[in-house]
Amino acid sequence: MLAPLDAHLTDARPRQLRPIHRPLVELLYFGVKEARACLFAGLFFLAMFCVPRAGLAGIPRYDVLLAVALAIQAWMLATRLESWDEVKAIGLFHAVGFALEAFKTSIGAWSYPDFAYSKVLGVPLFSGFMYAAIGSYIIQAWRLLDLRIRHHPPYPMAAAIAVLIYLNFYTHHYIGDYRWYLAACALGLYARTTVIFRPLDRDRRMPLLLGFVLTGFFIWLAENLGTLLGVWRYPNQLGAWSAVHVGKWSAWSLLVIMTFTIVANLKHVKARVHVPE
């Protein structure tokens, strides 16, 4: 069912549009492509919204969500919406995310209050798919928007900042939060980096850093939805729900940088990344 849609969305043949209509049409196509790239995340959050807290047919909610996430991933692989290499990368996102979840819940940063058979170290296994969904979005957007990267920093430097960003999520509980220093380093590394994308039939450009910030913002909105539904809760939300602190936006934006770095190392993606000598 998605094949005709994808074929239409990736058709870059020139369109004859009036100048007054072009911005609106390109914005529409950009929105549709973004929504299509969020296929995994959209279906997963739809399941979070639809599955009641009591679960289904006697199966706890967290276990149902794990089954749904695995089914979505298997379907995307079977229908070749994702390749094995991409699934391996998404599996890495899952592992990295689950390790972070296990640490954060162990120190009380947030909690998963409901019972589940699939909980390990107090964390339901489906939680890693929330991180994998970010990787899936970037992979899908790369194809649908025909992304190309200009002036990407050298890969060792990009990998180093990505690792430091990830480590800071752990170490800031003990030696201070250095996210703004890391953000400043990332700003320097990616200051010249431009992403070229194709909403319809013409190339458009924007700073890659802006893409990181915007993606982080929408993840922050999704996190608000997840806590509102009670899938997980921060300590200040145990009595009554309140919006997730806006500071999490910066944390998610940095995590997007780390995720992007992993995706940029995929073989077919690397061919579209320009690293100046």
Side-chain angles (χ1 to χ4, degrees):
M1 294 176 61
L2 288 174
L5 174 63
D6 287 359
H8 177 73
L9 292 177
T10 55
D11 183 358
R13 288 178 297 179
R15 268 75 160 184
Q16 299 299 322
L17 297 172
R18 294 181 179 178
I20 194 172
H21 292 157
R22 176 166 288 278
L24 295 176
V25 174
E26 288 199 8
L27 181 62
L28 174 63
Y29 269 80
F30 180 78
V32 172
K33 288 185 177 184
E34 285 287 296
R36 165 62 184 82
C38 291
L39 180 64
F40 184 96
L43 292 174
F44 188 60
F45 272 93
L46 179 63
M48 290 173 58
F49 181 77
C50 293
V51 177
R53 186 165 188 174
L56 292 174
I59 303 174
R61 172 169 60 164
Y62 294 161
D63 297 327
V64 174
L65 292 176
L66 174 61
V68 169
L70 289 171
I72 296 171
Q73 189 66 80
W75 168 67
M76 293 184 72
L77 179 61
T79 55
R80 298 183 180 179
L81 293 174
E82 289 175 348
S83 68
W84 271 112
D85 282 345
E86 291 167 344
V87 170
K88 291 174 185 177
I90 290 171
L92 177 58
F93 302 140
H94 187 288
V96 166
F98 181 82
L100 183 59
E101 290 284 320
F103 172 76
K104 292 290 189 178
T105 55
S106 70
I107 62 173
W110 57 77
S111 63
Y112 291 88
D114 298 341
F115 169 80
Y117 295 104
S118 57
K119 267 189 172 181
V120 177
L121 301 176
V123 180
L125 291 177
F126 86 85
S127 65
F129 281 102
M130 294 186 289
Y131 297 83
I134 304 172
S136 177
Y137 158 73
I138 295 176
I139 288 169
Q140 294 291 317
W142 209 291
R143 177 174 61 87
L144 293 167
L145 287 163
D146 191 23
L147 297 186
R148 283 143 287 158
I149 305 298
R150 301 292 297 173
H151 298 292
H152 188 279
Y155 279 98
M157 298 178 69
I161 195 67
V163 170
L164 290 174
I165 286 171
Y166 183 66
L167 292 177
N168 186 68
F169 286 113
Y170 294 87
T171 59
H172 82 86
H173 294 284
Y174 307 107
I175 61 173
D177 189 355
Y178 295 99
R179 78 174 67 180
W180 297 114
Y181 296 98
L182 294 171
C185 291
L187 178 62
L189 276 179
Y190 290 96
R192 298 180 59 217
T193 307
T194 302
V195 56
I196 303 170
F197 61 100
R198 187 176 295 151
L200 183 57
D201 58 345
R202 296 182 181 178
D203 287 345
R204 304 299 180 189
R205 298 170 181 263
M206 76 171 181
L208 183 59
L209 285 169
L210 178 59
F212 293 152
V213 172
L214 290 176
T215 305
F217 174 71
F218 285 106
I219 297 172
W220 175 75
L221 291 180
E223 187 178 28
N224 275 279
L225 176 62
T227 56
L228 178 64
L229 297 174
V231 179
W232 70 94
R233 289 282 172 87
Y234 289 99
N236 66 311
Q237 296 174 323
L238 295 179
W241 182 83
S242 61
V244 176
H245 192 278
V246 72
K248 295 291 182 181
W249 178 3
S250 62
W252 281 117
S253 297
L254 289 172
L255 193 67
V256 170
I257 294 177
M258 186 196 77
T259 307
F260 175 86
T261 303
I262 296 174
V263 173
N265 279 275
L266 288 171
K267 186 181 298 185
H268 67 285
V269 169
K270 213 168 186 177
R272 291 174 166 264
V273 176
H274 164 251
V275 179
E277 295 182 2

